[in-house]
Amino acid sequence: MTLLALAVAGRGLVDPDEPAVYADDEAVIRGRAAFETMRVYGGAPFRLQSHLDRLAASCERISVAPPDAEEARSLAALALERADAPDAVLRFYRTSGRELMGSPGLMVLVSSLPDHLEALRLRGVRLVALLGVRAEVPWLLGGVKSTSYAVNMAAEAEARKRGADDAVFVTEDELVLEGPVTNIWWRRGSTLFTPSLDLGILAGVTRDALLDLAPTHGFDVREGRFPLAELKGAEEVFTSSSVRELMPVVELDRRPIPLGEAARVLQSALRTAALG
Ligand SMILES: Cc1ncc(COP(=O)(O)O)c(C=O)c1O
């Protein structure tokens, strides 16, 4: 992704090649910051308010004051206008501020889309199940989009080391959770399954959009606590996230997973909803 535009609270538009964070911002030295990532369709961010609500909830969990929503919206508008890219990625970073003396900061980034996504959607992703530790341990910040994502990135790297593209986290007793940056779904007949939020997973905005869209496209949805074996025996598996949208899964722990219609139908429904 290339950074196309940057807006910073108190400064407005900033040259993307200029530094925008202090060396002693706790975001840098302790990873205490919250963020949001969303996709921009036709110049407009999809479900912006849901992302701002989730940003405020993440801030609360890491004891950082949430940003003013109007300020966040107007910085986003500035950056989007400067980027002038109909399809892009919009990110908010709420940093906790400088150690001891700081007040929280807010940065808004507009970047180009990663260029490999459509090729990956055509090919399908290979997953490996890895241990995730989040369920019911609130201080491990499950369900929080904090910038302490090194663990998630390490899980993606481990998946690649094992010959896959991505990971799906499971609990110690093999209940399915989520991916490092995605929610997970699977299908049996016309029923879609996805882990419930009480497992400590992130309340994906795309997940929420799919919960709305699925019934009008002939699928009922069951949220709950499901063993990995159900995922392995599914008729179809896919992931969801703002940037990657829906990605069909073709392999799990080196075993093939059949392709199905739900991912294709809902991917196109999501695009239609986003552009409408
Ligand atoms: C851990 C995790 N789960 C799920 C998601 C998907 O959420 P959304 O659909 O809001 O992008 C993300 C997104 O980055 C994530 O980091």
Side-chain angles (χ1 to χ4, degrees):
M1 297 202 293
T2 306
L3 184 56
L4 304 172
L6 169 67
V8 179
R11 293 174 69 186
L13 283 172
V14 171
D15 181 339
D17 292 324
E18 289 294 318
V21 182
Y22 287 102
D24 63 349
D25 192 311
E26 276 205 49
V28 177
I29 58 180
R30 297 206 175 81
R32 197 158 72 92
F35 76 110
E36 278 301 320
T37 305
M38 70 215 74
R39 188 150 169 159
V40 174
Y41 296 90
F46 183 57
R47 296 203 169 189
L48 174 58
Q49 190 56 48
S50 302
H51 285 281
L52 290 175
D53 290 346
R54 190 171 68 186
L55 182 62
S58 295
C59 285
E60 190 178 333
R61 292 276 303 278
I62 59 169
S63 306
V64 173
D68 177 74
E70 274 323 299
E71 184 181 26
R73 279 177 177 276
S74 59
L75 286 172
L78 267 183
L80 284 168
E81 194 186 348
R82 169 60 61 92
D84 193 24
D87 297 309
V89 177
L90 174 68
R91 287 178 288 180
F92 291 96
Y93 286 86
R94 180 62 160 174
T95 63
S96 33
R98 305 188 72 177
E99 212 173 13
L100 302 178
M101 57 201 269
S103 50
L106 180 64
M107 299 187 298
V108 182
L109 284 66
V110 180
S111 305
S112 58
L113 283 171
D115 53 18
H116 63 283
L117 292 179
E118 296 315 320
L120 199 56
R121 203 180 325 281
L122 276 178
R123 195 202 76 191
V125 297
R126 298 162 303 198
L127 294 185
V128 287
L130 296 178
L131 180 65
V133 288
R134 296 177 143 188
E136 284 131 20
V137 190
W139 58 91
L140 294 180
L141 298 181
V144 176
K145 257 183 106 75
S146 88
T147 55
S148 305
Y149 254 38
V151 167
N152 302 45
M153 300 302 100
E156 282 188 347
E158 177 64 24
R160 284 194 291 272
K161 211 154 77 183
R162 296 187 191 190
D165 305 298
D166 202 357
V168 54
F169 289 129
V170 295
T171 63
E172 264 171 342
D173 43 0
E174 294 215 325
L175 294 178
V176 184
L177 293 170
E178 63 186 332
V181 296
T182 63
N183 289 111
I184 184 121
W185 301 75
W186 59 100
R187 181 182 61 79
R188 246 189 2 240
S190 62
T191 303
L192 297 176
F193 298 82
T194 197
S196 50
L197 299 183
D198 63 348
L199 284 156
I201 60 170
L202 189 76
V205 174
T206 321
R207 177 186 183 279
D208 219 37
L210 293 180
L211 290 175
D212 292 343
L213 290 168
T216 53
H217 290 81
F219 302 105
D220 55 309
V221 183
R222 278 188 52 203
E223 297 174 76
R225 295 171 164 244
F226 303 110
L228 182 60
E230 291 209 16
L231 184 55
K232 289 189 169 167
E235 291 167 34
E236 173 180 5
V237 178
F238 57 92
T239 63
S240 71
S241 83
S242 296
V243 173
R244 300 179 188 181
E245 303 171 298
L246 274 68
M247 283 287 173
V249 172
V250 289
E251 190 183 294
L252 173 59
D253 285 347
R254 295 185 177 276
R255 294 219 200 96
I257 299 279
L259 284 172
E261 278 299 284
R264 198 186 55 74
V265 167
L266 291 171
Q267 165 67 28
S268 127
L270 178 68
R271 284 268 172 104
T272 306
L275 286 164

